């Protein structure tokens, strides 16, 4: 069994990006600039954004954090998005989700110019990805593809089963695994109403779990020799930790890992890749001629 090390891979990717930035600057180019809009004081969102700002430093990017209190209006946010769309000093930006309930997230996302949508959430980028056009691919599925590639996992002609059909993980993951260039798999998507889920999972050469239910994937759902990718990150109470919780994946790692050819741990698998893919998208925003 080979443990897929997302932490080490992400560090390598960030170093590759930093090298490219040094080259851009040496050639007289401008430092890539990523902006993030953060609304309110949700602990998880604060941590994610702080990690993104830190990653910008590692990659040699400029970063700008724009903060609003939780009572910001939808119109104020849309106005800021439009301002960022038109600001030539900013290559790409993200709006950290979730947003407070009184704000329609979809409306905010749709206001983002797809050429600056480094999260890859706008309908234009989702559509371009679906038909294989140049686009920003959302960071978590993009990071999984990068792990599969860098660990030389054969995907062409293989059966890939994805559990979960969210817009940010399951669906784009399925699109990417279907594409001819890399992926080229036979893809099955499962969800909470799938019948015979266990049997379907057992036919997977590559099993990707994006559910949000700790230890959902058990050993009897995994074909020996399969590659298992665990996207799940659920906070479960843990009194032994300073934070009072630990992250638990969707896979019963202890019993599934011995069966696999490759498996991602939680934490340290898919998670660290996500931010490095956001950095890669920002670099793409600089280098792309849309
Ligand atoms: P989501 O929007 O809640 O979607 C969960 C999916 O799992 C849904 O499609 C749901 O089916 C399916 N599901 C739930 N219970 C099921 C069951 N008993 N059997 C089969 N399918 C079931 O979640 P998400 O945003 O995709 O996130 C999934 C997990 O990945 C979460 O733990 C999240 O924290 C984690 N995540 C991690 C990263 C990272 O960077 N590592 C990034 C994003 C998400 P229905 O559609 O039928 O409801």
């Amino acid at each position: 069994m080979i443990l897929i090390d997302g932490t080490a891979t992400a560090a390598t990717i960030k170093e590759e990006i930093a090298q490219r930035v040094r080259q851009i600057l040496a050639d007289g180019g401008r430092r890539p600039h990523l902006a993030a809009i953060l609304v309110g004081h949700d602990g998880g969102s604060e941590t994610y954004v702080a990690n993104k700002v830190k990653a910008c430093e590692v990659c040699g990017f400029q970063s700008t954090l724009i903060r609003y209190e939780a009572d910001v209006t939808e119109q104020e946010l849309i106005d800021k998005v439009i301002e960022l769309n038109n600001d030539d000093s900013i290559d790409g930006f993200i709006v950290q989700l979730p947003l407070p309930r009184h704000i329609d997230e979809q409306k905010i996302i749709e206001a983002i110019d797809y050429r600056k949508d480094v999260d890859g959430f706008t309908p234009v980028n989702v559509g371009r990805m679906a038909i294989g056009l140049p686009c920003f691919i959302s960071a978590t599925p993009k990071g999984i593809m990068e792990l599969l590639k860098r660990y030389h996992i054969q995907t062409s002609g293989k059966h890939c089963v994805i559990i979960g059909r969210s817009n940010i993980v399951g669906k784009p993951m399925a699109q990417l695994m279907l594409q001819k260039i890399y992926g080229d798999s036979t893809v099955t998507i499962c969800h909470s109403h799938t019948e015979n889920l266990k049997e379907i999972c057992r036919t997977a050469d590559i099993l990707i779990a994006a559910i949000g239910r700790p230890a959902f994937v058990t050993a009897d759902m995994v074909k020996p020799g399969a590659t298992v990718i665990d996207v799940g990150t659920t906070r479960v109470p843990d009194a032994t930790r300073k934070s009072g919780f630990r992250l638990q994946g969707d896979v019963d790692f202890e019993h599934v890992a011995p069966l696999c050819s490759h498996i991602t741990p939680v934490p340290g698998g898919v998670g660290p890749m996500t931010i490095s893919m956001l950095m890669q998208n920002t670099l793409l925003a600089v280098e792309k001629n849309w």
Side-chain angles (χ1 to χ4, degrees), residues 28-48:
R30 191 170 51 79
R31 196 176 284 286
H33 187 180
L34 174 69
I37 298 177
L38 175 60
V39 178
H41 298 275
D42 171 76
S45 293
E46 293 264 4
T47 307
Y48 289 136

Side-chain angles (χ1 to χ4, degrees), residues 87-165:
D87 183 343
D88 290 339
S89 74
I90 287 171
D91 299 295
F93 64 96
I94 60 157
V95 180
Q96 185 64 43
L97 302 178
L99 293 172
R101 281 176 149 199
H102 66 280
I103 294 169
D104 181 344
E105 279 185 4
Q106 198 54 34
K107 244 188 188 169
I108 304 298
I109 289 170
E110 288 189 34
I112 300 172
D113 185 326
Y114 77 97
R115 291 163 297 193
K116 292 195 174 185
D117 167 33
V118 285
D119 260 341
F121 289 165
T122 58
V124 175
N125 274 313
V126 173
R128 289 177 73 98
M129 180 194 63
I131 56 173
L133 288 178
C135 62
F136 294 115
I137 297 169
S138 81
T140 301
K142 183 177 165 120
I144 293 170
M145 295 306 282
E146 196 68 34
L147 284 176
L148 294 173
K149 273 186 216 165
R150 288 185 185 236
Y151 277 81
H152 308 292
I153 291 160
Q154 201 194 327
T155 55
S156 179
K158 300 295 178 191
H159 186 203
C160 174
V161 174
I162 297 159
I163 320 175
R165 57 176 162 183

Side-chain angles (χ1 to χ4, degrees), residues 48 139-141 144 162-171 189-194 197 209-214 216 221 230-235 247-250 266 269-275:
Y48 289 136
T140 301
I144 293 170
I162 297 159
I163 320 175
R165 57 176 162 183
S166 70
N167 287 339
I168 61 162
V169 189
K171 282 185 202 156
I189 311 181
C190 300
H191 48 78
S192 65
H193 294 111
T194 297
L197 184 77
I211 318 161
R213 293 185 179 233
F216 180 89
M221 295 166 74
D230 190 351
V231 188
T233 47
T234 305
R235 286 181 174 192
L247 287 184
Q248 172 113 29
D250 286 341
V266 176
V270 173
M273 290 297 288
T274 300
I275 289 181

